Amino acid sequence: MDLKFERRAILFDIGEIAALPARTILRISDVFVSHTHMDHFCGFDHLLRVCLGREAGVSLYGPANFIAQLEHKLGAYTWNLVGNYQAEMVITAHEWAGEEHMRRARFSSRTRFERENLSDARAPRGLLLETPLFRVRTVPLEHHDITSLAFSFEESVHINVWKNRLEDLQLPTGPWLADLKRQARAGAPDETPIRIRWRARGGSHDRTMTLGELRRSVLEFVPGQRVCYVTDVADNARNRIAVTEFARGADLLFIEAVFLHGDRELAARKGHLTARAAGSMARAAGVGSAVPFHFSSRYLGRDAELQREFADAWRAVQDGVPQ
Ligand SMILES: [Zn+2]
């Protein structure tokens, strides 16, 4: 999730991330890791390397044993020179401990990334992170004989900007809109000044308007959107119920569709979903739209088959045809 004007991005799982531009990686503030199979966690080293020495902290969230695993990753490098960096880099790790709470630890470049335990935090109803803009929740699911965490990103309130009205007022787009939205979302008074500075042909411009004026003229408030991310889950009754309830009514669902129905025995052995199972979960949850992903490499070049199987299962009940 790239919240561009907030200069903030969030990752769900951190597998191969080398294709992401460094400027995007530098915006990553929070990483939610479903489980620590390599393909979901191996990108951590890349993130660390890009962010090291810059004034950026990052928070990570993961399942049981996550803090120890992060500690081992950090312990695998030699940090004798890291104290020379001007900027302190702090990694805050959160580990889902069930019973609605999280264990926490901190690793700072100032202390060569040695583990410092922090007090536990509460996570009522799976709430991992809450900010004025959004919250992230989790639910534990079964993946073979381990837990895989699903995540839900919930926007507080969605504020649209009418671009044409900006143009009418001869105002530019840009980072100032994030400040405007933040003030509007926080319920700041109408007379709050909003400063707009920009460069255009003919030099630099500087204008101040009140929040009230801008709220009336360029903003539109709509209910926030919800995006769910579900991966590495077995097709069993408990998971079906948990996924359906967790993703119910989401605007967008990303869900794994690793195998074709024809290979369902393999899917069962590995604790993964088939495209058909994923499609029927999306359908049962009544999501607005759904994106299947995490296709097995055995189907290289056959994405269309997985897509079709997923779409058929998803659409079946939408059209009133039982599966
Ligand atoms: Zn896995």
Side-chain angles (χ1 to χ4, degrees):
M1 309 280 306
D2 197 356
L3 312 171
K4 272 204 185 117
F5 288 139
E6 295 294 324
R7 297 205 175 99
R8 178 172 196 173
I10 288 161
L11 270 187
F12 294 104
D13 279 336
I14 182 159
E16 289 289 348
I17 59 163
L20 288 176
R23 67 178 180 280
T24 306
I25 292 176
L26 286 166
R27 281 202 291 270
I28 294 170
S29 60
D30 302 271
V31 181
F32 296 87
V33 179
S34 60
H35 64 301
T36 47
H37 280 156
M38 275 194 86
D39 53 332
H40 298 260
F41 196 34
C42 64
F44 174 75
D45 283 28
H46 188 82
L47 172 81
L48 184 59
R49 183 136 196 255
V50 171
C51 297
L52 205 58
R54 318 251 166 114
E55 195 72 62
V58 65
S59 286
L60 289 104
Y61 299 77
N65 211 31
F66 185 64
I67 295 176
Q69 291 181 313
L70 206 54
E71 186 180 5
H72 290 307
K73 268 192 182 271
L74 290 162
Y77 295 104
T78 304
W79 299 114
N80 60 313
L81 299 176
V82 82
N84 298 342
Y85 290 128
Q86 286 279 314
E88 178 186 23
M89 185 191 179
V90 176
I91 297 164
T92 312
H94 304 69
E95 172 178 309
W96 175 251
E99 303 297 325
E100 309 204 323
H101 83 275
M102 294 182 279
R103 278 191 265 282
R104 296 186 307 153
R106 181 178 185 273
F107 302 87
S108 163
S109 59
R110 290 272 152 81
T111 49
R112 302 182 180 191
F113 294 115
E114 272 169 35
R115 173 173 175 167
E116 303 161 54
N117 286 325
L118 302 173
S119 59
D120 287 3
R122 276 178 34 74
R125 295 180 52 236
L127 181 64
L128 299 178
L129 172 65
E130 183 159 35
T131 80
L133 278 179
F134 64 87
R135 52 175 69 160
V136 177
R137 285 183 195 284
T138 190
V139 71
L141 300 168
E142 294 164 7
H143 173 34
H144 207 265
D145 54 349
I146 62 167
T147 294
S148 179
L149 299 176
F151 301 110
S152 154
F153 175 95
E154 304 169 13
E155 207 183 8
S156 327
V157 64
H158 191 87
I159 304 182
N160 289 326
V161 176
W162 294 99
K163 281 235 177 87
N164 54 335
R165 297 196 194 157
L166 279 182
E167 279 164 23
D168 292 347
L169 293 166
Q170 294 175 323
L171 294 171
T173 57
W176 73 275
L177 289 169
D179 180 44
L180 171 66
K181 289 180 181 184
R182 202 170 9 246
Q183 302 268 17
R185 190 174 282 114
D190 273 359
E191 56 276 17
T192 307
I194 304 288
R195 190 157 179 202
I196 309 153
R197 278 181 288 187
W198 73 100
R199 293 191 152 277
R201 241 177 309 170
S204 53
H205 304 258
D206 190 335
R207 216 167 133 184
T208 301
M209 292 177 73
T210 68
L211 177 60
E213 277 176 283
L214 289 164
R215 201 193 328 248
R216 282 187 296 276
S217 53
V218 302
L219 297 185
E220 180 198 32
F221 294 75
V222 294
Q225 295 206 312
R226 194 152 68 88
V227 179
C228 289
Y229 173 87
V230 175
T231 194
D232 290 59
V233 295
D235 182 8
N236 62 36
R238 191 197 158 276
N239 277 349
R240 277 198 178 238
I241 293 167
V243 169
T244 306
E245 280 175 7
F246 190 64
R248 179 154 346 262
D251 297 278
L252 175 59
L253 169 67
F254 289 91
I255 187 165
E256 73 157 15
V258 184
F259 295 103
L260 287 169
H261 182 68
D263 292 319
R264 59 192 174 282
E265 280 170 25
L266 190 55
R269 263 207 309 285
K270 300 204 165 187
H272 278 294
L273 298 181
T274 62
R276 184 191 286 192
S280 69
M281 287 183 191
R283 183 191 68 207
V287 300
S289 65
V291 178
F293 73 104
H294 207 340
F295 301 154
S296 165
S297 56
R298 64 172 30 227
Y299 308 116
L300 213 58
R302 296 166 62 193
D303 286 14
E305 284 176 61
L306 289 145
Q307 298 275 10
R308 198 177 321 120
E309 184 177 294
F310 178 85
D312 286 348
W314 182 25
R315 213 167 291 129
V317 167
Q318 287 188 325
D319 296 343
V321 182
Q323 268 279 293

